[in-house]
Amino acid sequence: MKPETAAKKLGILLSAAPAEFTSEPITRDGLDAIIAEPPVWLVELRANGPHPRPVVAAKLGVSISGLIRAEVTEPLTTAEIKHLLETKPQWLVVERATQHEVREEQIRVKDAKAGKEALKNKK
């Protein structure tokens, strides 16, 4: 697979990975080996970043769209993410509340579907 695909599967920023990772395609077995026994560079990258947008969004508890609305377009390090969580800028508070509402609605819809299925199966 392409290094871009492998980086996505590992949850890392490709541009921050070492040349030996980015220069050649990676086999599925090679990726499995990296996952099973992460090299030092991967452990360091996962711990300190910079992190890709999906990882930043997950760590902040917001959606990727929320990051875009807040104009957070660059990868962030773990220290920058911690700083945002400590200082809680207004955009972060709003986006986290929005994300919470979305999750609540998803749960409500899922429960409603399950209820309808249960009624349907009783008949």
Side-chain angles (χ1 to χ4, degrees), residues 65-79:
S65 298
L67 289 177
I68 294 168
R69 282 190 293 273
E71 299 179 2
V72 178
T73 57
E74 297 298 316
L76 298 178
T77 63
T78 301

Side-chain angles (χ1 to χ4, degrees), residues 31-46:
L31 182 63
D32 290 342
I34 290 172
I35 291 170
E37 291 186 36
V40 174
W41 64 264
L42 180 57
V43 172
E44 183 70 21
L45 199 54
R46 283 181 169 168

Side-chain angles (χ1 to χ4, degrees), residues 17-68:
E20 71 253 13
F21 180 81
T22 62
S23 61
E24 295 183 19
I26 297 153
T27 64
R28 291 193 188 278
D29 290 337
L31 182 63
D32 290 342
I34 290 172
I35 291 170
E37 291 186 36
V40 174
W41 64 264
L42 180 57
V43 172
E44 183 70 21
L45 199 54
R46 283 181 169 168
N48 299 318
H51 302 289
R53 219 181 299 174
V55 174
V56 172
K59 286 180 179 265
L60 290 174
V62 300
S63 65
I64 293 173
S65 298
L67 289 177
I68 294 168

Side-chain angles (χ1 to χ4, degrees), residues 41-109:
W41 64 264
L42 180 57
V43 172
E44 183 70 21
L45 199 54
R46 283 181 169 168
N48 299 318
H51 302 289
R53 219 181 299 174
V55 174
V56 172
K59 286 180 179 265
L60 290 174
V62 300
S63 65
I64 293 173
S65 298
L67 289 177
I68 294 168
R69 282 190 293 273
E71 299 179 2
V72 178
T73 57
E74 297 298 316
L76 298 178
T77 63
T78 301
E80 291 169 325
I81 292 168
K82 283 182 182 176
H83 176 72
L84 287 171
L85 290 171
E86 290 169 359
T87 59
K88 292 187 174 119
Q90 183 61 31
W91 70 265
L92 182 57
V93 173
V94 169
E95 290 301 334
R96 289 183 84 166
T98 301
Q99 186 71 1
H100 179 74
E101 290 172 11
V102 168
R103 286 186 185 134
E104 291 287 319
E105 180 64 12
Q106 288 172 339
I107 291 168
R108 187 194 66 75
V109 169

